[in-house]
Amino acid sequence: MPSQEIGLPIPNIPHAVSVTLPTWEATVGYEEGEEWVTSKMNSGYPRFFIHTTIKQLCQKLEEKYGRQGEKCMVFPSYKVAKRCREFIKNRSSSKVRVLQLSTPEPVNETEKSTKVGTSIGVVFFQEQDYALAKSYWQHSGEVLSSRMAEYIVRELFIGPRSITKLELQAQKIQSRSPSILASRRSSGAGSNNVEDVEKEFNTFIEQKYGRVLDLKFCKEAKRALRRRICGKVDKSRNQIEEIEKSRRGKHLSELDVYLFPSGMASIFYAHYALLNIGPAKKSVCFGFPYVDTLNILKKFGPGVEFLGLGDDESLQNLETQLAQGLDIMALFCECPSNPLLKTPNLKKIRELADQYDFVVVVDETVGNFLNIHVLPYADMVASSLTKVFSGDSNVMAGSLVLNPLSKHYQKLKQFFNNDYEDLFWAEDALWLERNSRDFVERVHKIDDTSARVVQLLESNPKIAQVYYPSSSPTKKYYDEIKNPSGGYGGLISFLFKKPEDAVKFFNAVDLHKGPSLGTNFTLACPYAVLAHYQELDEIEQWGVDRNLIRISIGLEDPDDLLQVLNNALE
């Protein structure tokens, strides 16, 4: 049952991605830093809330390597730490230094199951600059995984623990994972019969020993993920037929798919790459986006032209400015947008990009590649794999896909070949590979349930407006890119005619309530209050009402979910 306890992780596990904010008042209290809420917040969304294990790691590093008055922030590589140092130094006159630490490589075959040689970058700064370091962590998304932090603490400060016989049995079962075996077969690494072990693997690893995964299969897991993302068949059950129907394109290779520690990191790196492959220019943010996409474009590089309405008039305005000499590096947009579910006119954007030579970066997280096909109109496609691709709300991840048919492909590919680091932690890859095996089946169920929820909301006299791709004025643009078997996604926003009804409904509805979306359970939040509390007046000009409620539909029985919503509406 959904928890109503402030600060409880959603789900209630050590590496949960969401956190319970069960009432409108609790959400406001969290944003205002009120003690009755903040004192109970033992977890949170990882880019905004530093995980307890990461705090412990930082404390140990400060005690061992810190100087008088210094605090530190840990990142998954030395290069990322240097980028954070540069961010701080551009905004502060205080001294900032970077330390690199590494864990030992495995020395034998047995150790390969439990050890990975890896490095971290530690940024030391004066205490007054902590907010700047935290800002880089949040905006860039180049965060240290809480699972990686556990590993680093154990390897650098505690020492390895012994592996039990039962855990070795779990690793043996994992070695027969169908997706990993398919990946190994396709690379010539071996072949086995996989049909009889998938159910055994899923239940045994998840319920018994999911936190002790066999690290030697990390590379195969990542390859299986890249193949899944680019639409290649990986022999996982529920994947073959449907992914074949919605392939990204015959020219796309798994080598054009890059994994990141968060969805925001993929957007950040797309922008970072563009700043480094040519003259740094302003970018356009088209449509009202998730908050940190705009922050990246504002705070890194020459700045941004923000066309927050993202409508036809905005696109006409952009075309006029381009004809008059506006010179831009790129256009960033979401498809559809979060939280208003608007779909940009990607065909027209592509025409303008070709005519005026700028790059198009599309964030497809809300739509997802099973529902929509945006690659023909984009040079790079970003996605948060934390969301519906994973579903289980227990791992952070992102991807960035390069379009091999883009005229910018060669420059981008060369930069990625030289500069890209795989920062996606081994254990997270193993979790995500497992989580995403039933991605296709889950997406179709969520799409079907969402259509029924939209119908319910639109027929209720208390509701003033429902935001959803199928009922949006931009539906025609969504339909142009919708896959034949695709739906309209699982994200729905809506407004009540009376603002006080929004508060009553939210407090009454018996759902999980907190940040994130795309979870296997339905998740609600007062979106504007949660994401834009300090700028509620400003965002209204872009059509985002302060009383907006957003619901991400999960896998519950549709009739049960509709009854829960009806009860709250009544």
Side-chain angles (χ1 to χ4, degrees):
M1 297 296 292
S3 169
Q4 302 302 312
E5 181 181 338
I6 293 173
L8 195 72
I10 314 175
N12 191 13
I13 57 174
H15 301 286
V17 166
S18 191
V19 62
T20 302
L21 289 167
T23 64
W24 199 283
E25 293 80 7
T27 308
V28 171
Y30 171 72
E31 293 297 330
E32 293 191 344
E34 295 182 8
E35 195 270 342
W36 70 276
V37 179
T38 58
S39 64
K40 301 173 183 176
M41 299 294 290
N42 296 315
S43 65
Y45 195 77
R47 283 194 305 105
F48 294 87
F49 185 94
I50 306 297
H51 192 277
T52 302
T53 305
I54 299 173
K55 290 179 181 178
Q56 292 172 352
L57 174 58
C58 288
Q59 183 178 352
K60 290 179 180 296
L61 291 168
E62 288 163 3
E63 291 171 354
K64 187 168 184 177
Y65 301 105
R67 298 170 184 169
Q68 185 68 33
E70 283 186 332
K71 301 288 287 182
C72 79
M73 188 76 77
V74 189
F75 293 93
S77 82
Y78 184 65
K79 286 171 71 171
V80 174
K82 289 198 296 183
R83 287 200 279 269
C84 177
R85 177 179 64 185
E86 192 68 21
F87 181 82
I88 296 172
K89 288 178 68 175
N90 286 340
R91 293 159 177 82
S92 172
S93 58
S94 301
K95 186 176 181 180
V96 187
R97 62 190 182 93
V98 175
L99 175 68
Q100 179 174 258
L101 296 171
S102 299
T103 64
E105 296 281 349
V107 296
N108 54 47
E109 286 301 313
T110 300
E111 283 196 352
K112 286 181 180 179
S113 291
T114 58
K115 279 183 174 286
V116 176
T118 190
S119 296
I120 56 171
V122 189
V123 184
F124 288 93
F125 43 82
Q126 296 302 303
E127 191 166 357
Q128 64 267 22
D129 291 330
Y130 179 82
L132 289 172
K134 178 78 180 314
S135 182
Y136 183 86
W137 174 281
Q138 174 188 324
H139 298 332
S140 74
E142 296 185 310
V143 298
L144 187 78
S145 157
S146 54
R147 289 188 181 89
M148 185 176 182
E150 280 186 343
Y151 180 84
I152 298 294
V153 168
R154 186 170 68 244
E155 290 294 309
L156 295 185
F157 295 100
I158 299 176
R161 65 180 183 82
S162 59
I163 303 299
T164 68
K165 289 182 179 180
L166 286 174
E167 289 168 349
L168 287 173
Q169 183 183 357
Q171 291 170 358
K172 184 178 180 181
I173 291 177
Q174 182 185 343
S175 71
R176 305 200 304 271
S177 157
S179 297
I180 290 176
L181 285 174
S183 182
R184 288 169 64 81
R185 281 203 304 272
S186 64
S187 61
S191 63
N192 293 89
N193 179 24
V194 301
E195 298 299 329
D196 58 345
V197 299
E198 182 169 12
K199 183 177 181 181
E200 178 189 15
F201 172 80
N202 282 344
T203 56
F204 191 85
I205 292 295
E206 171 65 18
Q207 295 175 8
K208 299 289 185 182
Y209 308 105
R211 295 180 66 200
V212 185
L213 300 175
D214 195 329
L215 298 183
K216 71 171 175 283
F217 293 108
C218 169
K219 289 183 180 179
E220 286 86 352
K222 289 183 178 181
R223 187 160 192 260
L225 287 168
R226 291 194 302 270
R227 289 175 63 80
R228 199 167 294 165
I229 292 164
C230 77
K232 307 302 182 190
V233 179
D234 61 8
K235 303 300 183 185
S236 295
R237 194 165 60 195
N238 300 327
Q239 297 287 325
I240 299 176
E241 181 181 355
E242 293 296 336
I243 285 190
E244 274 296 285
K245 290 179 181 177
S246 58
R247 293 176 66 143
R248 296 268 198 173
K250 64 181 180 180
H251 299 287
L252 185 62
S253 160
E254 67 199 61
L255 299 178
D256 294 321
V257 179
Y258 297 86
L259 301 175
F260 291 86
S262 71
M264 197 50 59
S266 66
I267 295 172
F268 174 82
Y269 196 81
H271 186 241
Y272 174 75
L274 293 174
L275 291 173
N276 282 276
I277 67 170
K281 308 172 191 175
K282 279 188 174 183
S283 292
V284 165
C285 183
F286 189 78
F288 189 86
Y290 178 72
V291 56
D292 279 315
T293 298
L294 189 56
N295 278 327
I296 288 169
L297 301 180
K298 282 181 177 179
K299 297 185 179 184
F300 300 88
V304 61
E305 295 283 338
F306 182 35
L307 302 178
L309 292 177
D311 55 11
D312 289 342
E313 186 177 343
S314 300
L315 198 53
Q316 181 60 54
N317 178 31
L318 175 61
E319 183 173 16
T320 300
Q321 291 186 64
L322 291 167
Q324 293 174 350
L326 175 66
D327 190 13
I328 62 173
M329 178 176 71
L331 181 146
F332 288 73
C333 65
E334 297 176 349
C335 191
S337 65
N338 176 18
L340 298 181
L341 287 307
K342 291 182 179 180
T343 305
N345 184 350
L346 288 182
K347 287 187 175 181
K348 181 63 176 179
I349 288 172
R350 182 72 262 164
E351 290 174 8
L352 293 177
D354 291 338
Q355 183 176 353
Y356 293 101
D357 195 29
F358 60 84
V359 171
V360 178
V361 183
V362 178
D363 179 355
E364 68 175 7
T365 300
V366 173
N368 81 67
F369 72 86
L370 288 182
N371 284 330
I372 56 176
H373 188 43
V374 304
L375 190 65
Y377 310 104
D379 301 284
M380 290 186 274
V381 177
S383 188
S384 174
L385 307 179
T386 309
K387 310 304 191 300
V388 71
F389 186 80
S390 170
D392 278 344
S393 190
N394 63 0
V395 60
M396 292 279 284
S399 66
L400 190 63
V401 178
L402 302 185
N403 184 349
L405 301 182
S406 163
K407 69 177 181 180
H408 304 281
Y409 175 77
Q410 292 302 328
K411 277 188 176 181
L412 287 167
K413 191 68 174 178
Q414 183 178 357
F415 180 80
F416 277 61
N417 287 343
N418 294 332
D419 188 84
Y420 167 79
E421 295 180 290
D422 181 358
L423 306 176
F424 190 35
W425 177 236
E427 289 173 281
D428 292 324
L430 292 165
W431 274 96
L432 184 63
E433 189 281 318
R434 185 201 62 79
N435 291 355
S436 59
R437 287 182 205 159
D438 61 352
F439 170 56
V440 174
E441 180 182 343
R442 288 187 287 107
V443 165
H444 289 321
K445 181 172 182 179
I446 288 169
D447 288 346
D448 291 344
T449 303
S450 298
R452 293 183 61 182
V453 172
V454 168
Q455 187 177 25
L456 169 71
L457 294 172
E458 288 182 336
S459 65
N460 190 286
K462 299 182 182 73
I463 302 293
Q465 187 169 355
V466 177
Y467 302 88
Y468 191 66
S470 66
S471 54
S472 168
T474 61
K475 178 180 182 293
K476 58 184 178 182
Y477 300 132
Y478 190 100
D479 288 343
E480 286 179 349
I481 57 173
K482 188 165 82 73
N483 286 319
S485 61
Y488 291 95
L491 200 64
I492 306 165
S493 298
F494 56 97
L495 284 173
F496 283 87
K497 293 176 181 177
K498 297 178 180 179
E500 60 269 26
D501 283 349
V503 177
K504 292 177 182 177
F505 169 86
F506 185 78
N507 290 350
V509 70
D510 189 20
L511 297 173
H512 291 286
K513 302 171 193 176
S516 197
L517 58 94
T519 50
N520 291 339
F521 44 86
T522 297
L523 185 63
C525 71
Y527 182 81
V529 172
L530 186 62
H532 298 278
Y533 187 72
Q534 304 301 327
E535 48 191 9
L536 291 174
D537 292 334
E538 180 183 342
I539 65 174
E540 285 186 348
Q541 67 182 301
W542 309 117
V544 183
D545 191 284
R546 65 185 62 216
N547 298 301
L548 188 78
I549 292 175
R550 191 190 72 181
I551 292 184
S552 173
I553 302 302
L555 300 177
E556 298 90 348
D557 178 89
D559 292 332
D560 291 345
L561 178 59
L562 290 171
Q563 186 61 54
V564 166
L565 294 172
N566 255 324
N567 291 343
L569 286 167
E570 289 172 4

